[in-house]
Every structure is written in structure tokens, then in C-alpha cells.
Amino acid sequence: MRKPKDSFSRGLIRMSWSKKNLFIIHQRGDRLPRSQNRTLFQQKWQAKKDTRAYHGAQLNEQQFRRLFEPKLPTSNIKEQKEEQHPPVSVLTYASLERRLDFIVFRSCFASSIWAARQIIIHGKVSVNGKKVSVPSKLAKDGDIISIDPRAVPYLTEPMTPKGLTFKPIPYMQPFLFIPEYLEVNFNTCSIVFLRNPISRPGRSEIPSPFPPEIHSLAHEYYAERIKKKKSKRTRHLIPVEENFRID
Amino acid sequence: MRIISITFARRVSIPTSVYTKSSILCSLCYNHKRTYHSTPTLFNKDNKDKTTTTPPPSKEEKEKVDDTTQPEAPKAPSRIRRPKYKIWLVNEGKNFTDSYDRPNYLGSNIPFPMNPFFKPQPPLSDSTKEEIWLKFTQEGQTPRKIGTDYGVSLKRVEAILKLKKLEKDMGKKGITLQKNLSENIEKMLGARSFCAEPLTDTLPKVGVPNFETVDENQDFSPEDAAKILRRPTLAKIQEKEHQEELLKPFSLEENSTKDEQIMTLVGRDEKETNQRFQFKFKTVGKEQNVILRDRDGSLYKIEKELIR
């Protein structure tokens, strides 16, 4: 029988607010997976296992391969006064963040990625006014995603003039953050997907429990096995002007 | 306040707890829960029991429960599963269940201890977004000015304005806004009245390095570089952007690229009702006529009104 998602013996960190998951993150602390006496393949495999358990745990390997982009964006920073960007491998899983279930989870409207999937499948989510019940739908830059307030887990029934009653879920606080590529309006439970996640001086925009070194190894694992050009399906998501935009 | 004493021997002794039969049943119900986003009462009931009574049943309690169902059987002292987890939940984990008025991450200001590169940036508070809305609608400031004042990127300003418009529209329709949610969650997110973002943020797509041999004496200007890279020059790009912002300023009216469609009711046939389909008839050629037969049998004539 398969072990549960938040199994302590496996020790995998998931996209979930459950207290078991929180404890697993606490237990793993700041210790990196061991690299001593490990072959390169073993290190890459461990990195892939850990990162994929968080990024896209609800996806099959086949589904993930369709979204994965082997070419990472490169950046040239001429000025030395600016703090160095983290290694570009932090953007390994950037293409996943456009998915509707990821957006719903990242904006703190679902307690786990599977819950986010369910909310979408049950039809509580609409994109630009139209109901979308496909969790794999990719958002365009500027899309407005709206969620039915009754589907939010920490909003319960006694309806007041100020909306539904707020009842916080225990142990949800450590997971409350909103990434910079989303703009959320809590009054209407709506989100705008701004742009692709990018890296910043000294920090990464994609919330991930793993440091860039682990992402590098995972990226190498997949890049060796997936060789494809930038897919057509994602080209239409970014407006044409962005290709040449300079501040 | 319950103090838990642990003797680090083979068997761990636990103080008595009130883990009654009803709460065991509750936890069983919770395991069979199918939807994540409904039945919050079940979830709350379960948590009420769990937060007050985390340690597992002690020997005596378990025996009492067994007595009611089965005749007496000799029981070995029960092994406590996952003691570290249960102890942590009650001691340090308590921090994450009590106070809900400021951000509370696992690390000091980083949510994942293994990844110090992810530092979540607090969002803008709702009051600031109202200010931005008023500045745009009443004072008529451009998104660029608002962005420079508040340190917000252009895309975010536009997003804030679009969402605020949606909010105002919903308010007008009479839909209650979730003020409880926004007030409480902004406390937990640590919302601020400013952002620290650049106005535009894209990484330039730099590919394989391009080497070009040039004579020692020759000058190499940005225009030559643009020619070799086959891109427009920086000056041209900036000019184009400037022009675009002047000609097509950001506005909240929905500018659909599709032309307006005017539907006029022409006739109605009760016999031609259909539950599933709408039928559209289009003539091909110079004079385009479009007729629509709706599901309830009504016949419409569609005319396009050209915007441009």
C-alpha cells in the first residue's frame, strides 16, 4: 500500500498546510540532503525527489515533462553595486506557477495543492468572468482569477455585513505568504497573475523549501532527459511587447 | 496549562488525558472527509479535541474503552507513536495556533529554514489600494506616477486598479465584500503601505554569447551591436514605449479587440426550441449576414459595430 502524502518516514515536504507537513519542515531544518559518499546521480535523484514532492506533487511525470522548460533564462547584470541574483536554477519550476491550481494555492485560498485542484474541479473558480474547471489551465499575464468565498477553508457560515466569518485554521500561519508575481484582492477573493516569476537581487520569487543548489541538481536531472525547444503553448501567454521591454 | 513530563526510558509515561470515545469517532469521521472546502464544522470540532488533548490515551483510559466493548483481555502497555511530533505540537507548535496578528514563520522571517533565498515580501494593505484607486479615478494620476510614489511596479498598479474596479462593481450589484477576511489576513501577512519594486521587471533574454571581431581602431557603438543582434536599438525601443503610453494610456474601460455585436430580435418560433445548441447562420461574401437561432427558439440578427 502507498504511504500517505505526509508520511514521516519519507520526510517529504509538500504544498500543504497540514501540521504534519509543518513538523516535517521543522525536523528537516536547514540540513541539506547528504551529499557525502553519494554519486552525482544519487545526488540528482535525491534533489529531484525532494523538489518534485513539493513542486507539482499532483502531476504525473509525463504531465510535468510537458511543462518543464530545459532552457533557463539567463541574465546579464553589469553593475556590481547591485546584490547578486541567486543562481538561475531557482526558476526551474517557474513554468508550473502559471497553472490555475498553483495560483489558487499560492494566494492562500486553499489548504493544499490537492484542495486547490478540488476547488477548481468543483467549479468554484472563474477566470476573467468565465468558469474554468480545469486545474491545468495556464494563466496569461493579466488574467483575473476569482474564487467563490464560500469555498475558502477559513471562511465559515455565519454571514455578517462584513462577509463570512473568519475562522483561522490552526498551523496555517507559517504558510501565509503571497509571491510577488500575484496580486490578490481579499475583499472579492480575486487574483491577478502579473508575470512570470523572476529572480531578484539576493532573493527568489518562487516559494520553495529548497535552496538553489538542490534546484540546480534537479534541473540537471531533467535537462539531461528532456530536450525540447520552448513550447508553442506558452508563447501566447506572454504579451509580445515584453520581448523587448527595457526600463 | 498542561505540562508534559517525559522520562527517557524504554516506555514513555504520559499524564492522563481526556481522549473520550466521541473524539475517537470524530477523528474517524475526519479520515473519511472527502471535500477540503466544505464541512468546516467537522474540521473545527476535530481540532477542538486535538488541540486540547494531544497525547494519546493512557493505559487506564484505553482499558476502560475496551471494557465497554469486549470482555477483559490482557493488554501490553501501549507504545506511543510519534512522541516527538506530539510533544512539538503542544510546546513549540502552540505558537502557530495562538496569535493571529502578525506574520509567524518557522524561521525568523523566512518560512523555509533550508532556503534562505525565499524572503516573502508583504503585500499592500487594502487602505493603500483604496488610496491608489482614488488617485487614479479622482485625481487622474497616471499609473507611472502612482508606481513611483508607492514603489509599486506598473503591472501591479494596473492589476490593483482592475481588481478595485471589480470590487466596486460587485459592491454596486449588492454582493457582500469579505472585509473580515481581508482585515484578518492582512494582519497575518504583515501588509504594508508601500512596496519596494522597480517599475518594470523583466529579465532580458540573453542567449549564447555573440563574438564579433572588430578592428582595433574601429569604434563599436550600441547601434552596431543592435544591428548584429538584429534587435531594435535602445533609443528606438524607449521612444516606442513612450509613444505607446501617450497614445494608449491605461484605462479601466474594457477595450475589447473584438467589435461590438448588436443583436436584434427578429422572430420567435416555439417549435424550434433546443436544449443544447445555438445555431448561427453566416453568409459568406461581401454582404455578411449573421443570424442566430437561440435555444428558446428566438431568432436574432447580429450586426457588428466597428469601433475603429
Side-chain angles (χ1 to χ4, degrees), chain B residues 53-172:
Chain B
T53 67
T54 33
S58 68
K59 200 163 138 192
E60 313 96 71
E61 291 294 324
K62 213 172 177 184
E63 277 185 1
K64 270 191 204 153
V65 168
D66 280 337
D67 278 344
T68 52
T69 51
Q70 290 169 348
E72 282 181 57
K75 270 264 172 178
S78 52
R79 187 176 67 92
I80 286 55
R81 290 176 76 229
R82 313 194 221 284
K84 278 193 202 165
Y85 168 53
K86 302 217 158 89
I87 290 157
W88 181 84
L89 270 185
V90 183
N91 292 336
E92 284 140 49
K94 268 275 180 203
N95 299 333
F96 304 114
T97 56
D98 298 43
S99 55
Y100 295 118
D101 52 352
R102 72 195 110 70
N104 202 356
Y105 299 128
L106 264 182
S108 54
N109 60 337
I110 48 173
F112 302 115
M114 230 196 286
N115 186 12
F117 282 100
F118 176 60
K119 294 167 210 153
Q121 300 297 303
L124 276 178
S125 59
D126 193 41
S127 46
T128 320
K129 292 184 199 173
E130 283 283 348
E131 280 176 30
I132 292 176
W133 168 256
L134 291 170
K135 283 198 176 176
F136 182 76
T137 47
Q138 291 183 356
E139 292 175 39
Q141 288 189 4
T142 58
R144 188 169 274 268
K145 177 143 198 328
I146 296 170
T148 43
D149 286 343
Y150 289 92
V152 183
S153 66
L154 289 176
K155 278 197 170 173
R156 175 158 268 141
V157 174
E158 291 174 9
I160 290 169
L161 294 168
K162 272 201 279 194
L163 287 173
K164 268 292 162 187
K165 176 163 189 273
L166 180 70
E167 188 188 314
K168 304 295 177 194
D169 287 346
M170 281 172 78
K172 275 184 205 164

Side-chain angles (χ1 to χ4, degrees), chain B residues 186-208:
Chain B
E186 278 182 0
K187 276 191 249 170
M188 289 210 255
L189 292 167
R192 296 187 293 201
S193 54
F194 62 93
C195 261
E197 288 180 331
L199 277 181
T200 53
D201 33 33
T202 43
L203 285 176
K205 290 198 191 97
V206 177
V208 177

